[in-house]
Amino acid sequence: MSAARSEDPSVRVILPAGLPELTPAVSRTLLAILIELTEVPVLDGPVEEVNGDS
């Protein structure tokens, strides 16, 4: 790593002005990704049918 890069540890993040609208399908997908990335075991529980597409 060069000396110039090590002197400037700042990171620039550009965020949208508002929150994006998430559909139920996208929300479930993002939740599944988060579950896969975590190292905490997920317990199997009762399966509930949720109709969130309305």
Side-chain angles (χ1 to χ4, degrees):
M1 185 185 303
S2 69
R5 286 189 176 181
S6 64
E7 292 175 7
D8 186 16
S10 64
V11 175
R12 183 175 180 199
V13 178
I14 301 172
L15 300 173
L19 294 175
E21 300 246 350
L22 297 178
T23 65
V26 172
S27 299
R28 285 190 292 270
T29 302
L30 290 174
L31 182 59
I33 291 170
L34 289 174
I35 290 171
E36 287 296 321
L37 292 175
T38 186
E39 293 182 12
V40 177
V42 177
L43 301 176
D44 290 332
V47 177
E48 296 180 21
E49 289 294 324
V50 177
N51 186 3
D53 296 331
S54 56

